[in-house]
Every structure is written in structure tokens, then in C-alpha cells.
Amino acid sequence: MTDSALNDGGAAAGDPRTAELAGRLEAVKRRISSAAAAAGRAEMLPTLIVVTKFHPAEDIRRLAALGVTDVGENRDQEAAGKAGILADCGLTWHFVGQLQTKKAKSVVRYASAVHSVDRPQLVDALAKAMQNERAATGRAPLDCFIQVNLEDQAGGAGAHRGGAAPADVLLLADRIAAADGLRLAGVMAVAPLGAPPEPAFEKLAEVSSQLVAEHPGASAISAGMSQDLEAAIAFGATHLRIGSDILGSRPAVG
């Protein structure tokens, strides 16, 4: 089914893919509600960001018709293309992958938030890009999440997932807070592979508390994916990045 067949913000009647996505989305929302209730947060559900990498724009349009408002991408070229195609959907775009400084100029054209700020050079590149973009378009400030590397908290298990050392978070935070056009949102982390997520998310909550003590407005915690969203919610996640449990396996490439 083509993107044009799903225009006017609605899904085509009887579309099997839309029905599949609706069922998967509802199942994830039930998990979120249950976990939030168990954590005493039934009235403060985290923001659901559907990570749509490698999936076609048609699927994102279907999700928008199902009420999804926030989507995440981790490759600038793919994200920029989709954001242009889907400009009429009113979506909020989150960049969630490792970001090269040379891509900052492109990312600030469509992203409302970057969840992977992990080094001073990237802060400076985003600030410069935002200065130019705001002068040209008057866009809102860019929300910046500091990605925290939590691998050492789990005995070094798993492959490197990126991020700043916990000890460097406050220095990065000060740099973001001082930059025009950037807004310090909070912290982000990916639980280490091959280890229980709870110790990592507990450490992230501690890092968040230390950050909020210095920057009270930076209380957001971006954590939790398909396999560990319950643990993330238990330790205070305000934003979840869910991909495969909603969209299914990545489409075959080739």
C-alpha cells in the first residue's frame, strides 16, 4: 500500500498492516499502564516514542492515524527523508542514535529532541546549528538528553552502547544549559546487553537525581525499550523508546 493511499490522516479501511500495528500498539500500552500502576505512577504515564528505523513512511502514517504522536529515528538520512514525507502528520521527531557532529545541521531541521548527546563537541555543533536554524525559521529550542554509559554498572557485560561517563554528566549539562537554542531535558541510557536491566536503570535514576539537584528542570529520563520497559518505568523513566514490539521485525534490506 502506498503512502498516498493512507492520506487525510486516516488508515485505509480493512488494511491488514494497520490492524496488526493497532494490536501491537495496544498490547504495549497495556504493558506501560500496568507497569506504571505497579510503580505508583498510574496518573503519570511515560511518553511513548515509537522507534521506526528501517520501517517505511507508510507505517509511520498508519501509526499517526492510530494516535501515535512521537517517533524516533537513529539515522539522519532516513529520518530527514521520512520527516519531509510526513510533514502533514504533526509528529514530534526524536533523534535517538549516535550522532556525528557533521549531521547536527540536518538534525535540527526536523528533530524536536536529541537523546544521544554524549560529548562537548556535539553540544557545540548542535548549538551552532540551532543558532542558524532559529535565525532562519524561529524554531523552538532543541531538547537535549545526555546519554549515559552504564556498562560498567553491569560488570562490563555486552557491547559498547555509547554515552558519557556518569562522572561527566554535570559538565555536559552545564554546557548544554549555557547554550542558546538548547534545552537540557534530562538523561538517557540503554541498558547493557547480557545483564539484568534493573541495576543499570537504578544507576541512571541516581545520575538523574544528581542532575536535577543542579538543574531542576532537567528531570526527564529516557530509558526502556521493548524488552525492558517495565524495569525502566520502575526506576522513573519518563520517555520510552519502543520499536520491535510495535512494528515487528525490521524489513529485509535488499
Side-chain angles (χ1 to χ4, degrees):
M1 179 169 293
T2 65
D3 188 71
S4 60
L6 292 167
N7 57 9
D8 299 326
D15 173 34
R17 178 58 170 163
T18 298
E20 177 190 2
L21 291 174
R24 286 176 168 272
L25 180 63
E26 184 58 32
V28 167
K29 286 183 175 181
R30 285 196 298 268
R31 287 175 63 193
I32 293 170
S33 295
S34 179
R41 300 173 51 197
E43 303 303 319
M44 296 181 293
L45 295 179
T47 297
L48 172 60
I49 301 167
V50 182
V51 179
T52 53
K53 60 183 180 181
F54 305 124
H55 291 272
E58 295 96 316
D59 277 352
I60 304 174
R61 189 174 292 279
R62 290 179 173 98
L63 290 169
L66 292 169
V68 168
T69 57
D70 293 75
V71 295
E73 290 281 339
N74 72 339
R75 294 186 178 187
D76 170 60
Q77 185 174 359
E78 182 178 356
K82 290 177 179 177
I85 292 170
L86 301 166
D88 60 312
C89 289
L91 294 164
T92 297
W93 293 84
H94 300 253
F95 192 86
V96 300
Q98 295 299 294
L99 180 59
Q100 297 175 293
T101 55
K102 66 182 181 180
K103 297 291 188 180
K105 183 178 180 180
S106 175
V107 166
V108 302
R109 291 174 179 157
Y110 59 84
S112 294
V114 172
H115 289 239
S116 49
V117 180
D118 60 358
R119 59 198 187 280
Q121 297 92 331
L122 182 55
V123 175
D124 295 346
L126 288 169
K128 181 179 179 180
M130 279 296 297
Q131 182 180 16
N132 294 332
E133 187 67 17
R134 294 187 88 187
T137 68
R139 65 151 290 170
L142 178 73
D143 281 347
C144 293
F145 292 76
I146 297 173
Q147 183 173 359
V148 185
N149 177 11
L150 299 176
E151 288 165 17
D152 290 343
Q153 311 307 320
H160 182 63
R161 308 299 290 268
D168 294 334
V169 167
L170 290 181
L171 289 174
L172 275 178
D174 291 343
R175 200 177 191 103
I176 294 168
D180 288 340
L182 304 184
R183 189 182 81 84
L184 179 62
V187 293
M188 175 274 228
V190 180
L193 292 169
E198 287 82 3
F201 290 149
E202 183 177 19
K203 177 60 180 178
L204 185 63
E206 294 171 2
V207 173
S208 175
S209 294
Q210 294 164 4
L211 175 62
V212 170
E214 298 294 330
H215 296 276
S219 59
I221 299 176
S222 173
M225 298 190 293
S226 293
Q227 70 274 17
D228 55 25
L229 71 85
E230 286 85 0
I233 291 173
F235 286 100
T238 63
H239 293 70
L240 305 169
R241 309 180 307 274
I242 310 299
S244 59
D245 274 12
I246 292 174
L247 284 150
S249 301
R250 297 172 181 173
V253 177

